[in-house]
Amino acid sequence: MCGIVGCAGPEPVLPILLEGLTRLEYRGYDSAGIALQTGSAVWRRRRPGKLAELVAVVDDAPEATTGIGHTRWATHGGPSESNAHPHTDCTGRVAVVHNGIIENYLALAAGLGPSHERTSQTDTEVLAHLVEDELAGGSSLADAVRACLARVEGSFAIAAVNAGEPGLIVAARRGSPLIAGRTETSGLVASDIPAILGQTREVYVLDDDQVVEVRPGSLRVTTLAGEEVTPVRRRVDWDLEAAEKGGYEDFMLKEIHEQPQAVAETLRERLLPDGRLHLDATTLTEDQLRAVDKVFVVGCGTSYHAGLVAKYAIEHFARLPVEIDVASEFRYRDPVLDPNTLVVGVSQSGESLDTMEACRFAKSPTNKARLLVICNVVDSSMAREADAVLYTRAGPEVCVASTKTHLAQIAGLELLALYLAQLRGTLYPLEIHALVDTLRGLPTVIERALAHEDEYMEAGRRFVDVRDFFFLGRGVGFPVALEGALKLKEISYARAEAYPGGEMKHGPIALIEPGTVVVAVATRGRLHSKMLSNIQEMRARGATIVAVANEGDDETAAQADVVLPVPATHELFSPAVDVVALQLFAYAIAKARGCDVDQPRNLAKTVTVE
Ligand code: F6R
């Protein structure tokens, strides 16, 4: 997803911008650009492709101390130089970078006078021309931005410079993330904290429809109407080291190995001695939670898969009906919501637009549902929207494909299920204590799974040339199959379909032929024997079976060509263990295929468009 960085200070700004853009690379992008404010104009360079392409063409950059930079993930218009940001106005004195989508850009463009020449296919460029018109009418850059954004529909985070106002960046947001930062001598703006962490730890989170004027050593925040606002200051206590690879070949491998800690941190000091769940923020009372008669879980991709696990856990432990929705679909059907409905938004970033909008829809005055958000980024948009927040404390996840935050989400959701069970009295306190103890032991069980890393990797390397995979699971093993297939697709570009084991005979089995690889999640649980029957059905048609099976389970191993051994735990917690084998299986295939596992093609870490 697009990334923004900007800095106004006393020092040469080019290296600061390039470092910031490097820190944003993990978000995924397909072009990059910068604009530097010089005395009378704006100097701009843009390149499609990786950041290195841009770095190769900035040798002749003028000395400048104020500038903005951008990594673009194409939405309107392909990834070309002309569509890359920053975009300029007709005079070349205004430059704008933008994340998000300006939905009414065609109407806004139609309203521009005939003198304006547009040079890109983007929705963004119209902003530069609108600002140009406002400046021509005598406005300052800040007034011009405020006036333009009042006319814009859609979601955005923007930053703009004007050659006529040296040492000033004006930035604003609605729906897309944006933070500002400050040192004694410089002002900074970025879409994400790592982009400016090399410069400052003092950050200010902006709210929707706020505009920040960034100058060397100072920030001024206003509403779109120009009223002064005091932004909330936050000190960031994690450092750049935490976002580095820490000796591993790539972030993905590092983050897979951080999973025991991510789960342990998420569980730490969560259950109070009286059995209450410690949430990071809540305005919900116990009575309100006790009155909940239905739960909806919404999320996208990997977060959706964690939500599926929660459905099994909440229904089983708390005996509450749970519906689970892909967030992008939720608000377009007519879900029946009311104040006794709990909507749980699950998101690593807390910024995915689809999930964010699903959460807003749930909380809207018409629906009035209670909103609990589980996310990994403190003060994210979703966290600020929620009635209650449970942060997964997995630390920054840099690899585009989620791993450690997925396990942390599962841990957080299991806790929620047990808390609801305690509130509703569906389990005896002793049962809850025993389950919580098992949950607390999960990091150790995950460590034991990681000890099988070599076996998982070796198994993966056997299938480097296979094009099509099927992943099967039953019960709580089905979300594991879905997540295993998603990981393989994302990072190795193999085709992988996931099905509940019992569903194959209703159609997909037609695709099974000698040599088809079927990865079966076959750890012990209520449906184990049924899963073994499903494996038999695949074997009978010549499939090669890779089985995720419990350590020492010879019965299952006897049905498989390759075994990925995992330690056993409570069935409903087992997804957090079993998926580790599939993450490393996918990783090995992707590496052997020479793929960039940290930044797979076409993917973005945080998807802030609909
Ligand atoms: C998969 C992956 C994506 C995200 C999805 C939701 O590895 O990372 O499927 O899970 O885009 O993102 P968040 O969790 O940030 O809402």
Side-chain angles (χ1 to χ4, degrees):
M1 195 51 44
C2 307
I4 289 176
V5 62
C7 177
E11 290 160 25
V13 77
L14 180 63
I16 297 173
L17 295 182
L18 292 177
E19 186 199 331
L21 292 179
T22 308
R23 303 276 172 218
L24 291 171
E25 279 194 289
Y26 74 92
R27 293 166 69 95
Y29 67 104
D30 41 44
S31 59
I34 51 164
L36 306 178
Q37 200 182 47
T38 64
S40 55
V42 163
W43 184 90
R44 174 174 66 147
R45 255 319 119 81
R46 302 172 294 168
R47 276 292 177 274
K50 292 288 178 194
L51 206 50
E53 308 289 331
L54 177 69
V55 173
V57 294
V58 294
D59 282 350
D60 59 338
E63 192 82 343
T65 56
T66 298
I68 51 180
H70 191 261
T71 47
R72 173 173 188 257
W73 186 72
T75 56
H76 290 65
S80 62
E81 179 168 344
S82 60
N83 287 333
H85 300 210
H87 289 284
T88 52
D89 67 337
C90 299
T91 67
R93 292 168 61 81
V94 173
V96 178
V97 291
H98 162 231
N99 294 353
I101 292 178
I102 297 173
E103 285 169 4
N104 59 338
Y105 80 103
L106 288 174
L108 291 171
L112 289 170
S115 60
H116 287 279
E117 190 194 341
R118 283 168 56 218
T119 55
S120 77
Q121 302 159 303
T122 65
D123 51 336
T124 304
E125 191 191 343
V126 72
L127 279 178
H129 295 284
L130 290 174
V131 169
E132 177 187 353
D133 280 352
E134 293 289 333
L135 293 178
S139 294
S140 66
L141 180 63
D143 285 341
V145 166
R146 278 188 283 263
C148 295
L149 294 184
R151 298 170 59 196
V152 164
E153 288 166 20
S155 64
F156 55 77
I158 68 143
V161 290
N162 169 21
E165 294 172 79
L168 171 69
I169 301 169
V170 176
R173 65 159 281 184
R174 181 188 301 154
S176 299
L178 188 74
I179 52 148
R182 206 182 66 90
T183 70
E184 289 282 295
T185 54
S186 63
L188 298 130
V189 66
S191 46
D192 209 348
I193 292 171
I196 58 171
L197 212 51
Q199 303 300 314
T200 186
R201 299 181 162 275
E202 187 181 319
V203 304
Y204 298 82
V205 181
L206 299 174
D207 274 327
D208 278 354
D209 287 326
Q210 290 185 343
V211 178
V212 59
E213 293 159 52
V214 174
R215 292 187 173 82
S218 77
L219 304 172
R220 176 173 179 256
V221 180
T222 59
T223 62
L224 279 191
E227 292 143 4
E228 200 101 17
V229 175
T230 309
V232 182
R233 178 178 142 163
R234 207 158 70 72
R235 214 183 138 69
V236 180
D237 52 15
W238 45 268
D239 56 21
L240 279 175
E241 287 296 309
E244 300 290 356
K245 291 180 192 160
Y248 288 96
E249 212 173 312
D250 11 56
F251 284 110
M252 182 171 187
L253 196 56
K254 171 176 174 268
E255 286 160 7
I256 287 174
H257 279 270
E258 286 172 346
Q259 295 187 116
Q261 199 195 344
V263 170
E265 284 297 315
T266 302
L267 296 174
R268 189 170 48 83
E269 289 166 11
R270 281 292 183 199
L271 284 172
L272 303 173
D274 61 4
R276 276 184 302 125
L277 175 64
H278 173 74
L279 293 162
D280 295 280
T282 186
T283 55
L284 295 180
T285 64
E286 296 227 319
D287 283 343
Q288 286 169 338
L289 281 172
R290 213 172 275 115
V292 165
D293 56 16
K294 185 157 187 183
V295 178
F296 285 80
V297 188
V298 292
C300 309
T302 291
S303 297
Y304 168 74
H305 298 156
L308 268 172
V309 175
K311 175 178 167 69
Y312 289 87
I314 297 172
E315 288 186 341
H316 180 79
F317 293 137
R319 305 303 297 141
L320 265 171
V322 180
E323 284 197 39
I324 157 100
D325 272 74
V326 168
S328 54
E329 291 293 316
F330 183 64
R331 66 195 160 116
Y332 297 116
R333 63 186 182 99
D334 284 321
V336 183
L337 307 168
D338 63 34
N340 290 339
T341 314
L342 179 68
V343 173
V344 182
V346 186
S347 172
Q348 178 280 130
S349 59
E351 302 290 349
S352 292
L353 195 76
D354 289 323
T355 314
M356 177 71 201
E357 291 302 334
C359 290
R360 283 192 172 142
F361 172 81
K363 261 197 84 175
S364 68
T366 331
N367 292 319
K368 299 191 185 70
R370 315 284 178 194
L371 175 65
L372 188 148
V373 161
I374 297 195
C375 72
N376 197 46
V377 178
V378 175
D379 283 344
S380 61
S381 302
M382 259 176 247
R384 282 182 287 137
E385 199 81 13
D387 298 310
V389 187
L390 191 154
Y391 287 121
T392 47
R393 304 178 187 131
E397 188 174 67
V398 175
C399 176
V400 168
S402 289
T403 52
K404 63 176 179 173
T405 55
H406 178 59
L407 265 65
Q409 287 169 346
I410 293 174
L413 287 161
E414 298 283 1
L415 272 180
L416 176 66
L418 293 175
Y419 178 51
L420 291 172
Q422 183 245 323
L423 277 180
R424 294 166 53 77
T426 48
L427 291 177
Y428 289 110
L430 275 178
E431 289 174 296
I432 296 188
H433 283 151
L435 285 162
V436 168
D437 278 349
T438 309
L439 205 49
R440 288 207 178 105
L442 209 48
T444 312
V445 187
I446 297 167
E447 291 278 9
R448 274 178 49 200
L450 284 169
H452 291 288
E453 174 174 359
D454 289 348
E455 287 155 88
Y456 305 153
M457 296 271 217
E458 202 185 307
R461 286 191 285 265
R462 282 180 61 171
F463 301 105
V464 176
D465 298 322
V466 173
R467 203 190 54 168
D468 300 307
F469 291 79
F470 282 85
F471 283 70
L472 307 186
R474 297 200 68 145
V476 86
F478 175 50
V480 178
L482 281 167
E483 180 59 11
L486 179 62
K487 285 287 94 81
L488 187 61
K489 281 186 267 212
E490 285 180 300
I491 63 171
S492 79
Y493 316 134
R495 286 194 209 151
E497 292 196 47
Y499 284 98
E503 183 66 10
M504 287 298 281
K505 59 185 174 294
H506 297 288
I509 201 167
L511 295 173
I512 304 296
E513 55 189 9
T516 308
V517 177
V518 173
V519 181
V521 182
T523 45
R524 294 269 163 185
R526 280 194 296 180
L527 297 175
H528 180 250
S529 59
K530 296 197 184 299
M531 189 67 220
L532 289 189
S533 303
N534 298 142
I535 290 176
Q536 286 294 347
E537 290 155 12
M538 302 304 118
R539 274 169 71 86
R541 284 152 185 90
T544 301
I545 307 293
V546 179
V548 180
N550 287 132
E551 292 163 340
D553 180 355
D554 297 335
E555 185 195 3
T556 306
Q559 314 278 348
D561 299 282
V562 178
V563 177
L564 307 179
V566 287
T569 180
H570 187 289
E571 180 179 354
L572 289 174
F573 306 156
S574 64
V577 180
D578 299 356
V579 80
V580 174
L582 298 184
Q583 292 167 343
L584 286 163
F585 180 75
Y587 175 87
I589 295 176
K591 290 297 283 186
R593 289 183 174 198
C595 300
D596 179 348
V597 294
D598 283 341
Q599 288 180 41
R601 69 185 181 205
N602 300 341
L603 296 185
K605 182 71 184 157
T606 307
V607 184
T608 48
V609 291
E610 197 181 344

